[in-house]
Amino acid sequence: MSYDAPFSGLKVVDLSQGIAGPYCAMLLAQHGAEVIKVEGLGDGDWARTLGTRYGSHTAFSIIGNLGKRSIAVDLKTEAGKHVVWRLLKGADVFLEGFRPGVIKRLGFDYQAVAAREPRLIYLSISGFGQTGPLAERPAMDPVLQAYTGLMNENRGEDGIPHRVPVIVVDMSTALYAFQALSAALYARRDESHGHYLDVSLMQAAAALQSIRLMACHLEGGTMRPGGAPGGVFEIADGWISIVAINDRDWRSLCAAIEMPGLADEPRFADAASRLANSDALYAILRPAFARRPWAVWSERLARARLMHERLNSYADFIAQPHVKETGVIQWLGQAGLNVAVPVPALPGMPRQEDGTLRGTAPVSGQHTRALLAEHGYAEAEIVTLLEQGTVAAA
């Protein structure tokens, strides 16, 4: 155990699929845990089928599985279940992401697993939780964005609710689950038994929106803006985001747009007045910003020490000198791709190096033979399991 690998020595069996559970398990692997990804036969984890496929991978399966080893098993057969029980021997963490009730039918519910591994931390991730009228409904990120109010709050100027495209519910679920697991593992040092954790996409989506949800309740409708001016403005060669809501920044902004007298207009003289007259304010600011390009605005606003930034594409962001100098993006080779792919460095953690276990996502069944051998199967037994279709190897 070390700061670089605080979970070294921990064994994790990951039966989750998609991105919320796998990303959580990936973080355990990045912190040094041995993570065994158990996938079904054929395509394996259904994240491997989301979006554009590159051999056995998609962007989802790469990001969600860095640092793991994969075994492909038919969980519907008794022989396949026996394999999973072998994998679970001595495990510290078990993750599953099936709809409520499915894992029990497979025989790996918490009671069954805890009976064999009493100190194991067991994590279930689901869409709506393990109980309640919607518990058994299938759910993915867009469903929970809709259900929890996120889409309704994310309206464009056209008034149409929009889905946030970066699977923010899945990713936040993974992060909340990881912190819950980390805390449980810390507490387990002084406990004689394991623990069951129930984390849902619904919980994570609600928690992520805590401030806005509370503000909308208190204000009896949509949360009012924190101040004005602030937002996105079109400029001569793109778009810019600006925040200048306190009085000092407002005066600096008026000077930067060459309208110093605007700062003293009674309609805009203080924060409350600017907010109350925001429509009139933006009607003045929009054409002013549209007249000049980014180079001009960047120089003026930086000199005035005002918060601002150009709206970048991902390609623009990756190419930024600041991004390159700080190492935010790592370039890692993956199976099925003939070029290295950009992988953001994980905050507060050592860099993932190309060609290492931490920097590589497995293809389905890549480590089947090795994992079976490590768990006591003789070569003849492994061959039999492969021939019977109980397991598959890449």
Side-chain angles (χ1 to χ4, degrees):
M1 185 183 297
S2 66
Y3 287 123
D4 284 351
F7 289 153
S8 177
L10 291 180
K11 181 181 181 182
V12 179
V13 177
D14 176 20
L15 259 70
S16 65
Q17 300 184 66
I19 198 64
Y23 194 87
C24 173
M26 181 276 295
L27 292 173
L28 293 170
Q30 296 304 314
H31 283 84
E34 175 199 4
V35 179
I36 300 171
K37 182 175 182 63
V38 180
E39 308 190 54
L41 304 185
D43 287 328
D45 182 347
W46 53 263
R48 298 186 185 279
T49 69
L50 291 174
T52 304
R53 296 189 67 169
Y54 305 94
S56 183
H57 272 311
T58 67
F60 293 87
S61 66
I62 292 172
I63 293 298
N65 294 299
L66 293 164
K68 302 179 187 179
R69 294 194 293 167
S70 170
I71 180 171
V73 183
D74 185 353
L75 287 173
K76 296 179 181 179
T77 66
E78 288 306 312
K81 292 175 182 179
H82 182 72
V83 168
V84 175
W85 282 121
R86 285 271 195 105
L87 298 175
L88 278 166
K89 187 172 179 57
D92 299 283
V93 176
F94 178 78
L95 295 90
E96 66 91 8
F98 296 99
R99 275 183 285 171
V102 173
I103 197 70
K104 184 176 180 65
R105 292 195 292 273
L106 290 172
F108 296 98
D109 56 295
Y110 177 62
Q111 287 72 25
V113 175
R116 300 198 189 197
E117 299 294 335
R119 298 198 73 243
L120 178 139
I121 306 297
Y122 188 113
L123 171 66
S124 290
I125 293 183
S126 61
F128 288 95
Q130 299 298 311
T131 61
L134 301 183
E136 295 187 8
R137 277 183 56 179
M140 294 175 66
D141 185 288
V143 174
L144 274 304
Q145 286 195 35
Y147 185 73
T148 60
L150 178 56
M151 282 190 193
N152 198 53
E153 288 297 308
N154 188 38
R155 293 175 182 263
E157 291 187 0
D158 55 9
I160 298 174
H162 294 278
R163 177 177 68 88
V164 179
V166 292
I167 59 168
V168 64
V169 175
D170 272 320
M171 296 297 277
S172 60
T173 302
L175 295 175
Y176 283 120
F178 175 73
Q179 63 86 22
L181 268 176
S182 299
L185 286 166
Y186 185 81
R188 194 182 67 155
R189 301 178 311 161
D190 299 323
E191 296 283 357
S192 61
H193 57 277
H195 190 58
Y196 176 77
L197 297 170
D198 172 16
V199 175
S200 72
L201 273 68
M202 179 180 68
Q203 291 173 318
L208 188 66
Q209 300 175 79
S210 297
I211 294 172
R212 193 170 187 89
L213 185 151
M214 180 186 292
C216 287
H217 174 77
L218 293 172
E219 296 175 24
T222 299
M223 179 182 179
R224 288 187 285 275
V232 175
F233 298 87
E234 188 171 8
I235 56 177
D237 57 351
W239 299 83
I240 192 171
S241 177
I242 296 173
V243 179
I245 57 179
N246 65 46
D247 290 340
R248 186 201 71 80
D249 287 350
W250 165 239
R251 288 188 169 276
S252 297
L253 180 64
C254 290
I257 63 174
E258 299 177 331
M259 294 183 177
L262 200 60
D264 297 317
E265 275 204 30
R267 293 179 299 169
F268 313 130
D270 54 47
S273 298
R274 289 192 294 276
L275 191 57
N277 296 287
S278 59
D279 288 346
L281 176 59
Y282 291 129
I284 296 170
L285 293 180
R286 286 194 180 98
F289 281 117
R291 284 194 288 268
R292 292 181 174 83
W294 163 249
V296 172
W297 290 126
S298 180
E299 189 277 327
R300 290 187 184 183
L301 297 173
R303 181 160 26 95
R305 301 190 65 79
L306 292 172
M307 290 183 284
H308 71 285
E309 191 49 67
R310 185 174 193 163
L311 272 63
N312 289 322
S313 66
Y314 287 137
D316 294 333
F317 170 68
I318 289 172
Q320 292 294 310
H322 183 79
V323 170
K324 292 180 178 180
E325 184 173 331
T326 55
V328 171
I329 300 297
Q330 306 158 130
W331 294 90
L332 306 176
Q334 303 296 328
L337 291 143
N338 57 11
V339 294
V341 294
V343 177
L346 293 166
M349 295 182 59
R351 289 179 58 80
Q352 295 149 302
E353 300 297 336
D354 189 31
T356 65
L357 178 62
R358 288 183 67 240
T360 306
V363 299
S364 181
Q366 180 174 337
H367 304 95
T368 294
R369 284 181 173 273
L371 287 166
L372 289 174
E374 290 170 17
H375 287 82
Y377 285 91
E379 178 60 24
E381 293 177 298
I382 295 172
V383 171
T384 299
L385 289 172
L386 287 166
E387 290 176 347
Q388 291 176 343
T390 301
V391 300

